[in-house]
Amino acid sequence: DTGVSQNPRHKITKRGQNVTFRCDPISEHNRLYWYRQTLGQGPEFLTYFQNEAQLEKSRLLSDRFSAERPKGSFSTLEIQRTEQGDSAMYLCASSLVVGGTDTQYFGPGTRLTVL
Amino acid sequence: DAKTTQPNSMESNEEEPVHLPCNHSTISGTDYIHWYRQLPSQGPEYVIHGLTSNVNNRMASLAIAEDRKSSTLILHRATLRDAAVYYCIQSGYALNFGKGTSLLVTP
């Protein structure tokens, strides 16, 4: 399977714990995006990388959220000191920029439940 | 944030064409119009995109108004598998999804 993969698919944690999610993009894609989706809403953009450079992070929800893409391949999203309001689906997408736009391919998401 | 307007929901009969409208009155000259859909419990799936001209692919057609302030996604023959939330997005690198249109397809 050459699509975007995300691990774990589900994560249940207790309030105050740290969690880390991984995203493996399509291999030749140079851009990687993170989104969050809460129930009944469309996905909400968080951050994105072009290769290993994080080009936009002002939309990360708080300083408890951070993301890395150390070698321009896989990426991790970490949430520190989780809160119940962090419960959501976290989606990763990758793309290859061609011309003036790119088509994003999404993974299946990681569903986080904070108890 | 760039914002589009779509009906909350639409309904179609199976094997009938479906026209999903979208208004994007604040679109700039360099913004593309993207359509994605999301089936239950899945990540969004790319459907089609365009800039000025109408576009066709194996999934759908995209008709863009001459002033680019609106567009219509056309599914030529709806199937039960097309039941999903359809998002019209003007972008940008970051996709601003909004709430989309929930399409119900009935047999």
Side-chain angles (χ1 to χ4, degrees):
Chain A
D1 185 15
T2 57
V4 177
S5 62
Q6 293 188 245
N7 287 288
R9 295 290 309 276
H10 302 273
K11 178 71 176 178
I12 300 173
T13 192
K14 292 183 179 179
R15 191 176 52 188
Q17 298 294 305
N18 299 343
V19 294
T20 300
F21 310 139
R22 177 177 170 127
C23 172
D24 286 273
I26 294 171
S27 60
E28 66 269 23
H29 284 184
N30 55 1
R31 279 198 181 171
L32 188 147
Y33 300 80
W34 285 99
Y35 293 82
R36 184 182 82 155
Q37 186 171 25
T38 54
L39 203 60
Q41 304 295 317
E44 173 187 14
F45 169 76
L46 296 178
T47 187
Y48 87 105
F49 295 84
Q50 177 128 339
N51 301 312
E52 64 272 16
Q54 190 172 14
L55 298 187
E56 171 63 67
K57 57 182 179 180
S58 66
R59 306 266 200 97
L60 286 167
L61 300 163
S62 78
D63 59 7
R64 298 184 296 105
F65 287 71
S66 63
E68 293 183 344
R69 193 182 184 198
K71 295 184 180 178
S73 56
F74 74 92
S75 175
T76 57
L77 177 70
E78 181 181 17
I79 308 173
Q80 296 182 327
R81 305 181 303 281
T82 53
E83 302 173 356
Q84 287 185 324
D86 297 332
S87 296
M89 178 73 84
Y90 291 83
L91 293 159
C92 173
S94 71
S95 71
L96 180 66
V97 179
V98 177
T101 189
D102 61 336
T103 296
Q104 296 183 29
Y105 295 87
F106 284 79
T110 294
R111 181 166 296 283
L112 173 66
T113 302
V114 182
L115 302 177
Chain B
D1 281 341
K3 199 168 171 78
T4 60
T5 306
Q6 299 178 251
N8 289 334
S9 62
M10 292 185 65
E11 189 169 341
S12 173
N13 294 321
E14 196 176 11
E15 298 189 6
E16 294 291 318
V18 182
H19 291 233
L20 296 164
C22 179
N23 289 323
H24 27 80
S25 57
T26 62
I27 195 166
S28 73
T30 57
D31 281 345
Y32 281 77
I33 300 152
H34 297 256
W35 284 82
Y36 284 74
R37 71 180 186 181
Q38 189 171 23
L39 280 65
S41 303
Q42 296 187 22
E45 175 188 28
Y46 167 78
V47 177
I48 200 166
H49 76 279
L51 185 61
T52 56
S53 303
N54 294 345
V55 184
N56 300 295
N57 67 20
R58 63 174 180 82
M59 289 181 70
S61 296
L62 176 60
I64 302 171
E66 198 169 328
D67 64 5
R68 299 209 329 123
K69 293 185 185 299
S70 66
S71 63
T72 302
L73 179 71
I74 303 164
L75 306 179
H76 296 285
R77 287 180 73 238
T79 70
L80 297 177
R81 292 185 67 249
D82 291 323
V85 179
Y86 287 78
Y87 297 99
C88 167
I89 302 161
Q90 65 178 81
S91 66
Y93 54 84
L95 299 177
N96 184 7
F97 277 85
K99 290 192 173 182
T101 296
S102 180
L103 176 65
L104 176 66
V105 180
T106 53

